[in-house]
Amino acid sequence: EVQLVQSGAEVKKPGESLRISCKTSGYSFTTYWIGWLRQMPGKGLEWLGIIYPGNSETRYSPSFRGQVTISADKSISTAYLQWSSLKASDTAMYYCARATGLCSDTSCYSRDGMDVWGQGTTVTVSS
Amino acid sequence: DIQMTQSPSSLSASVGDRVTITCRASQNIRSYLVWYQQRPGKAPNLLIYTASTLQSGVPSRFTGSGSGTDYTLTISSLQPEDFATYYCQQTYSSPWTFGQGTKVEIK
C-alpha cells in the first residue's frame, strides 16, 4: 500500500525555523514527484512546489520561491518542507502528495494529478 | 500563472440530486484538469484526472467532462458521503493552480 505519513503538528514563534517531513512507503520513491501544498484556515489549496527525489530537481511556485525550501532524502524515502524564519502568515495545514509528471526547462505538467496525499501537518506560528 | 475559476462557490442539494460544478481556466489547458474531493478535516482525494478519467476506486456517479478552457464535474445522484468541498486543479503548466473550491452542503 502506498502511504505518505507526515510529521506531527508544530507550534512555533515568529522568526523560528522549522522542517516538516513526509515519509513515503509502498512505491519507488525516486520515480515520482512529491509536491507540497498549503491550506490556510478556512481557505482553499495552494501549490508550493515539487521535488523529484531521483535527481533532487525542484520547482517552486513563484509565490513561494524564497519563502520555503523543499528537499528529499532518498536513503529514507522522505521529503521535507522547511522555513528559515517563520511568520504568523505561515499558519496553515501543509500537505505532501505524490505526482507523476515531466518538466521542461520552464514548466512541469502532470497527466495524472496528485494521487496519494499525506494526512497533513498543522503549523501554528504565534508569539 | 494560469487562473482557475470555479462556480458556484457553494451549493445546497438533497440526497439523490444531480449536481454540476464548473471550472474555467484562463487559457487552454488541453484537458490537464484534475478534480479532488475534500471532506472536513481530511486530506483531498483524487477523483478524476485528464478531465474525464475516473481514478481507481471512485464511484461511477462522478463524471468529468470538458476541453480547452471549460470543464465540468457532475455527480449523478448525490449520496450522503458526497457532502464535501470539491476543487479543480490544472496540471498543464506549473505552478499547478487550483480553483477556489465548491462546498456542497445538505439542503
Side-chain angles (χ1 to χ4, degrees), chain A residues 37 39 43-47 50 61-62 95 99-100 107-115 117-118, chain B residues 1 32 34 36 38 42-44 46 49-50 55 87 89 91-100:
Chain A
L37 304 101
Q39 189 166 38
K43 301 298 184 183
L45 296 163
E46 299 173 276
W47 189 87
I50 51 174
S61 165
Y95 294 103
T100 59
S107 183
C108 300
Y109 70 90
S110 172
R111 174 181 173 276
D112 305 327
M114 311 188 89
D115 67 340
W117 291 61
Chain B
D1 299 0
Y32 283 80
V34 182
Y36 301 92
Q38 186 178 31
K42 299 295 187 183
L46 175 62
Y49 59 94
T50 52
Q55 175 72 346
Y87 294 94
Q89 181 195 31
T91 56
Y92 177 68
S93 175
S94 52
W96 299 341
T97 43
F98 290 86
Q100 77 275 24

Side-chain angles (χ1 to χ4, degrees), chain B residues 6-44:
Chain B
Q6 257 182 266
S7 62
S9 56
S10 65
L11 65 90
S12 295
S14 301
V15 172
D17 283 355
R18 181 183 182 89
V19 167
T20 299
I21 299 167
T22 64
C23 185
R24 173 165 289 177
S26 60
Q27 66 183 72
N28 186 350
I29 56 171
R30 302 185 187 280
S31 296
Y32 283 80
L33 191 282
V34 182
W35 290 99
Y36 301 92
Q37 176 193 66
Q38 186 178 31
R39 297 189 175 111
K42 299 295 187 183

